[in-house]
Every structure is written in C-alpha cells, then in structure tokens.
Amino acid sequence: MKTKQIKEPLWTQIKKSKISYTMLAPFFVLFFLFTILPVLASMGLSLTHFNMLETPQWVGWGNYIRLLLEDDLFMQGFQNTLIFALITGPVSYLLCLLFAWIINEFKGKLRALLTLVFYAPSISGQAYLIWSPILSDDRYGYLNGLLMRFDLMQEATLWMKTEKYILPMLIVVQLWLSLGTGFLAFIAGLQTVDKNLYEAAAIDGVGNRWQELWFVTLPAMKPQLMFGAVMQITLSFAVADISLQLAGNPSINYAGSTIVTHLLDYGGGTRFDMGYASAIATILFILMVGTNKVVQRLLKRVGD
Amino acid sequence: MMNTTLSAHRKPPRRSQKRSLWRSFKSAFRREKQVNRSAAGNGLLFFLMFICGIFMVLPLVMIVNNALKPLDEIFQFPPQIFVRNPTLENFTDLFILMNDSWVPFSRYILNTIIITGCGTVGHVICASLAAYPLAKHRFPGRNMLFSAVVLSMMFSWTVTQIPNYMIISYLGINNTYLALILPACAYGMGLYLMKQFMEQIPNSLMESARLDGATEYSVFWRIIMPNVKPAWLTLAIFQFQTLWGNTGYLFLRSEELKPLQFAMQAITRGGAQRAGASAAVGFIIAAIPITFFLVCQASILETMTTSGIKE
C-alpha cells in the first residue's frame, strides 16, 4: 500500500486502492449527502424563488440583488454579525490562547480544574440561559440588583430591551461561551512544546516570558493555532441562539439580529422563502470560509 | 516488539495526577526557579486568571445554587447568589411534572439513549474507518477528500439547514430517529481528529501485522483501533455533547420520538410557576456533559495534541 514512486496509470491506482475506498465509503456517502450536497443545493436554490410547495423558479441574481440593495434588515443583521465576529472572534481567540498559556503554568489537579472551569460553559448546552435572570429587566435581575445596591444606578436598566445594551451584552455572553474546542487544542498544544527549546532560547538571549511566547511557544504550536482559528471563526459568525433566547426574535429594533437569525426568519420561521434564505446561507458560507482562508494565511507568519 | 513501538508514541504516565490539589497549588507558586519567569509577571497573570476565573465560574455556580434553592429564595429580593436552605424540592417537582407528561417520561429517556447511543457509535465507526485509509494509505483523491473535510469545519450547520431538511424528507427518514442519527455519523471534525491521531501510529506496527497475513480490516480493528483509544473516546464525548443538546425539533414531530432535552426545555417555558423545576432542568442539562468531560479529560487532551492543521 505504500507509495511507489513510479507513476502508474490512474485507473490501475484506483483499482489497487479498492479496499481504501470501501473503508471510506460509509463516511463519505453520508458526508456527501449531508454536507457537500446541501452546500451545492443551497447555492443552486439561492438563484431561484422557492417556497417548498411549488417547483423552484429561476430568478438569477434576483435574490442577491434584493438582499444586498433592498433588504435593510439584512444589512442590520450583517453589520451586527460583523461587529460580533470582529470582537468576539479575535478576543475569544486571544483569551483562549492567554488562558491556555497561563493554565499551562499550573500542574496536575489544579490544571485539570482550571481547564474544566474555563471549558465548561461552552459544553453545558443551554446553560447560557442563566444569563437571562442575570440580565433580567427588573430589580430581581442579578446585575440590576448588584448595581443598585451599590448605588451605581437609580433604577433598573432594561438590559435586553434597550438598543444600545443588547449587542454589548450579547458579546459578553458569547465570550463566556466561546472557550471551546480551540481552547482545548491550545492547552494540548502547549503541552507538546519541547521543554529544551525554552532553555536553548534563554541562552540565545530571550529575556522574558513574552519574548519566549512569541519566539518559541507560538511557532512551536502553529498547527494548533490554525485549528483553533478555524473553530473560533466558525463559532463567531454563527451566533444566533443566544440572541434568539436572550434578546428575543425580533429583538428591539433588530439590535440583536444577526445573519443567522435573518436566515431563520426566512427559512424555518414564518416566510418560507427558501430561495432567499439560501442566498443568505450562501453569503454566510462565503463569509465564513473566506475569513478562514485569510486568517490561515495570516497565521502562517506567526513568529517570523 | 509491539510493546516497544507502542510505548514510543504514548506519553509517560503522569505522576502529578496523584498529587493533592493543595500540593499542586503550592507547587504552582513555590517551585524551583524557571527560566524567564519574573515574580511580578506571575503575580499579574495569576491575578488576571483569578478575575476571569470568577467571571467564568459564577454563572455555573448560580446554576447549581438555583437548583438547590427553595422557591422563596429564587424570588428573593435582593437576589442572592448562594443558597441558604438547600433543598431537593426542585428535583422532586421536576419528576412530578415529568410523570404527568403526555408520553411516559421513560420514553424520553429511551429516545435520548437511542439517539445519542446510535449517533455516537455510528460516528465513531464511520469516522475511524474512513480516517484509517486517509492517514495510512496512498490513493488517488486522498488529498481532495481530506480538504473537503477541513473545509466543512469552516462553516456551521446553519448554512446547510434548508437543503438538509429537504434531503432528509426526500430520503423518507423525516420524523424517524435516523433523521438525527445519519447526519451525526458524518461530522467532519470527528474524521479530522481521528486522522490526525492515527498519523502518529508508527507504520512498522502495521507492516509487521501485514507480514503475518492480516487483512486491512483486521489491521484496522486489531492494531489501529486499540491504539487510538483516546481519540475515539474524545469523538464519543464530543458527539455525545452535540446530540445531548439536540432537541430534534426540526425533524421529530411525534411526541413518542422526542428526546429528553425537548421535554425538559418544554418545562422551562412554563414561566414563573415552574421556576423551581426549570432551575433543576438547567442543572441537569449542564451537569451531564460536564461530568462526561471531567471523566475523559485526559484522553481528550491527548487527542487534541494532534489536532493541529499542518500546511
């Protein structure tokens, strides 16, 4: 099965690897059905008008033109998503890295405990709902109660009903939730950095931990940095659930709407305009994959 | 011979795990001097860690405390974070509510077991079976397939939601367990982690088995799978977490098929008079995945060391 450097004709190679293909088959048949085909179908549908009942009608770029030029709500959602992603993406990525880096200084049980504390929010499912009593509008809300007790506020603030607070508060909740798989990858990656590298670097004149981080640690865990970036970017663009649950749908003046909530409005919600929803999904797809590709390119320069 | 090669890619057993919490805490501060560590820097970072740690842990502490609060404390003003008279009332309330449900409560549990069980086992089998040739065989299309998997990690499931629904309807598996199980078997990240981990296994191990006349399937089953146990444990945990959080509202319409998550979330929508039971629900929903993670933390971290994307 190992590579023979002599080039055989493609067909012989394929025939020889029959067993490999059989092993791949179960996963990739399902992968094709539930991932690849849907992406292609979504792109195709985005060029049609389709309401799930009648046959799709070809409308060309119509949906995109409507989406980009006429749909103010989409623009609002798009803007919110960008703000969201531009803040939570890099911040949570850096926090993942920072926390993983500090946790790495601890040992044994304490390290395990800290890992759990920081990772737990992201796996505890709908646990972010606890934020709704914290941010509750009345004096029973924990945040209001706390601020009023210390006389920082005279009356209760409607955190999730006031336009200017919705997005910042959602960002805080998202940051709380966002130390996910990427964080684990960083913790694991830091453990694999060869300890001798640090001593060698100290002899070579690396004077403090920050230089050590930039010149030794980060380059050594570059593959994990790339993986973590993929996870964080995908997460930060897909924000919807916390907005739906905490700010409601539609939120006040759409201050908490994102691309995904807009997509749900047209797709699963009330309007059943699948062609239009697919156009939104396609834009989201391009946005996510595009950002990932750009960031991957940037990360290749770490430590240079 | 097998044993020597095996230990080559295993880490040495971690002695530090046996140390008590307090001792490891002490040693974190008072250990032998390391290169490039200043006391001021230590202080600053640990202080930062402490503040952020409180921010991270406080909501979870509240979930636990709320679950143990009697009703009058839940509605107390000013709100208290910590419970004063802990009680299990909320949990008994929850069980009473669930016994009154339309479909017997045990049915929801059974559904959850079927969905998470089949989805997890199916995923681990499909993903490892596909990861083996991707990691260890050379064949045309190999890079293309793997790039497709990496690409699939770069967007979330919301992008493909609508066509997914149509495909599932078209296959005629709407409103069956399969609507949740089949897509779950083919998540890209599982295959990715598995492949990265399998690449660590030395080829010599497989070669010697092949010389003994083993087929590719028995190499996979006898040599590879036992050696990637941390990886498939990780996959199982991740998959369990995903499926545990799935209410299946999109595909499952019959009440008899809905999972526990759905039943419990229905209770939290009951408003103020169900505040106690909801607090108990919040605890159960969060506690189960966290417990699983806690149990398997070591294997998960071992798997994640190989997760990196190489150029």
Side-chain angles (χ1 to χ4, degrees):
Chain A
M1 281 293 170
K2 287 216 88 180
T3 14
K4 286 184 195 129
Q5 288 309 316
I6 320 140
K7 271 277 172 197
E8 295 170 74
L10 186 65
W11 184 241
T12 355
Q13 283 185 51
I14 291 179
K15 271 212 294 212
K16 269 181 139 182
S17 328
K18 213 169 80 187
I19 190 143
S20 308
Y21 292 116
T22 342
M23 290 176 131
L24 289 169
F27 183 91
F28 277 94
V29 166
L30 294 174
F31 184 73
F32 177 79
L33 265 180
F34 297 110
T35 305
I36 299 178
L37 192 61
V39 170
L40 299 176
S42 182
M43 288 175 178
L45 279 176
S46 72
L47 301 172
T48 64
H49 176 76
F50 180 43
N51 57 10
M52 295 289 278
L53 297 172
E54 300 158 85
T55 24
Q57 279 174 329
W58 183 260
V59 291
W61 297 107
N63 285 326
Y64 289 98
I65 293 169
R66 209 173 112 206
L67 196 58
L68 296 173
L69 298 181
E70 291 163 29
D71 191 343
D72 291 342
L73 292 181
F74 174 72
M75 277 303 146
Q76 173 80 45
F78 188 77
Q79 195 191 334
N80 285 344
T81 306
L82 279 191
I83 296 176
F84 230 107
L86 284 178
I87 296 176
T88 61
V91 171
S92 74
Y93 185 72
L94 291 177
L95 286 181
C96 281
L97 190 60
L98 180 74
F99 291 145
W101 184 51
I102 302 177
I103 285 174
N104 195 46
E105 307 262 304
F106 293 93
K107 291 201 172 66
K109 287 226 169 100
L110 191 63
R111 187 215 302 249
L113 179 78
L114 285 171
T115 309
L116 180 73
V117 164
F118 283 85
Y119 182 60
S122 70
I123 48 168
S124 49
Q126 299 244 328
Y128 58 81
L129 288 179
I130 192 69
W131 286 86
S132 85
I134 297 179
L135 298 173
S136 163
D137 326 347
D138 45 32
R139 307 195 316 158
Y140 292 102
Y142 286 82
L143 186 59
N144 279 330
L146 190 75
L147 290 175
M148 283 162 76
R149 179 189 285 178
F150 293 109
D151 284 330
L152 293 168
M153 276 187 335
Q154 295 313 310
E155 54 189 35
T157 307
L158 308 173
W159 295 110
M160 280 298 149
K161 302 265 167 8
T162 316
E163 248 179 272
K164 64 174 174 182
Y165 293 128
I166 292 179
L167 204 54
M169 285 301 162
L170 290 180
I171 286 175
V172 170
V173 178
Q174 176 66 20
L175 284 177
W176 179 73
L177 271 174
S178 65
L179 300 184
T181 327
F183 173 66
L184 286 187
F186 290 165
I187 291 202
L190 281 164
Q191 288 177 17
T192 58
V193 180
D194 187 358
K195 300 285 174 296
N196 297 326
L197 282 178
Y198 292 121
E199 299 189 358
I203 295 165
D204 287 349
V206 166
N208 57 48
R209 71 174 85 207
W210 311 102
Q211 282 182 355
E212 186 186 287
L213 178 69
W214 181 254
F215 290 112
V216 186
T217 314
L218 291 185
M221 53 180 287
K222 211 189 265 186
Q224 272 83 16
L225 290 180
M226 307 269 246
F227 176 78
V230 170
M231 292 293 126
Q232 283 329 96
I233 292 168
T234 313
L235 205 69
S236 61
F237 275 106
V239 174
D241 276 353
I242 58 164
S243 171
L244 294 178
Q245 301 276 359
L246 297 178
N249 190 31
S251 44
I252 303 295
N253 261 339
Y254 292 88
S257 76
T258 65
I259 298 182
V260 177
T261 63
H262 201 58
L263 167 69
L264 294 177
D265 248 10
Y266 280 90
T270 40
R271 300 179 216 227
F272 285 103
D273 192 343
M274 296 303 165
Y276 197 65
S278 298
I280 302 174
T282 305
I283 287 185
L284 186 64
F285 172 79
I286 293 169
L287 205 59
M288 282 173 169
V289 174
T291 317
N292 265 306
K293 296 279 180 200
V294 171
V295 170
Q296 297 280 304
R297 195 154 293 173
L298 286 177
L299 281 178
K300 280 182 191 168
R301 298 206 198 128
V302 164
D304 288 350
Chain B
M1 124 134 229
M2 239 168 94
N3 278 331
T4 49
T5 28
L6 272 178
S7 56
H9 70 99
R10 282 253 171 93
K11 278 192 223 127
R14 259 175 281 175
R15 238 181 305 123
S16 54
Q17 288 232 328
K18 287 198 188 99
R19 272 198 286 178
S20 72
L21 190 63
W22 172 238
R23 278 195 41 208
S24 62
F25 189 74
K26 266 200 320 194
S27 68
F29 289 99
R30 230 201 286 158
R31 61 188 160 176
E32 67 280 20
K33 182 128 175 60
Q34 266 196 340
V35 282
N36 287 330
R37 292 290 178 272
S38 67
N42 275 345
L44 178 77
L45 287 178
F46 294 150
F47 178 71
L48 191 74
M49 194 68 178
F50 182 71
I51 301 285
C52 297
I54 287 181
F55 171 73
M56 295 304 283
V57 86
L58 202 57
L60 296 173
V61 169
M62 285 168 61
I63 290 176
V64 176
N65 276 287
N66 277 358
L68 297 173
K69 276 181 188 173
L71 265 186
D72 59 314
E73 279 189 46
I74 290 182
F75 291 109
Q76 194 182 25
F77 181 82
Q80 299 288 323
I81 289 174
F82 295 104
V83 56
R84 259 171 306 168
N85 306 307
T87 151
L88 290 176
E89 253 173 45
N90 293 333
F91 291 93
T92 45
D93 277 2
L94 177 65
F95 292 129
I96 290 168
L97 269 175
M98 293 199 128
N99 281 332
D100 285 349
S101 63
W102 185 30
V103 174
F105 178 52
S106 51
R107 181 76 209 203
Y108 292 119
I109 298 181
L110 180 71
N111 291 338
T112 295
I113 292 173
I114 292 175
I115 293 169
T116 53
C118 295
T120 305
V121 172
H123 178 60
V124 169
I125 290 174
C126 287
S128 346
L129 204 56
Y132 172 54
L134 278 181
K136 292 295 179 190
H137 294 169
R138 299 278 173 280
F139 54 88
R142 175 173 174 270
N143 292 334
M144 197 192 70
L145 289 176
F146 187 62
S147 323
V149 170
V150 174
L151 192 71
S152 80
M153 301 197 303
M154 295 187 179
F155 55 87
S156 64
W157 63 277
T158 28
V159 167
T160 54
Q161 206 179 2
I162 295 166
N164 245 331
Y165 184 84
M166 292 159 61
I167 287 166
I168 281 169
S169 307
Y170 186 76
L171 292 175
I173 54 173
N174 206 344
N175 203 20
T176 64
Y177 294 129
L178 284 179
L180 295 187
I181 294 171
L182 284 185
C185 288
Y187 286 148
M189 197 169 82
L191 173 64
Y192 177 81
L193 290 178
M194 210 70 192
K195 185 233 171 200
Q196 301 294 79
F197 203 84
M198 282 182 184
E199 278 182 346
Q200 311 277 307
I201 295 175
N203 284 333
S204 51
L205 216 71
M206 295 144 48
E207 294 301 335
S208 55
R210 282 186 196 131
L211 284 178
D212 291 344
T215 63
E216 280 306 295
Y217 286 101
S218 62
V219 169
F220 168 73
W221 193 247
R222 301 255 173 80
I223 313 281
I224 303 288
M225 285 311 266
N227 273 303
V228 295
K229 190 170 159 226
W232 52 259
L233 260 176
T234 307
L235 247 59
I237 292 293
F238 282 176
Q239 190 70 357
F240 171 80
Q241 281 162 4
T242 319
L243 288 169
W244 168 249
N246 197 336
T247 54
Y249 70 98
L250 208 55
F251 300 114
L252 301 177
R253 285 185 309 276
S254 313
E255 199 61 32
E256 298 83 49
L257 296 179
K258 286 176 177 166
L260 192 58
Q261 188 84 7
F262 179 88
M264 292 201 294
Q265 284 189 26
I267 287 171
T268 62
R269 283 192 285 272
Q273 77 267 35
R274 299 234 173 122
S278 312
V281 166
F283 176 78
I284 295 176
I285 286 179
I288 288 181
I290 292 178
T291 314
F292 270 91
F293 172 72
L294 198 61
V295 174
C296 299
Q297 192 173 29
S299 324
I300 293 178
L301 283 179
E302 194 178 338
T303 309
M304 297 312 282
T305 54
T306 61
S307 66
I309 295 177
K310 287 155 215 141
E311 289 136 61

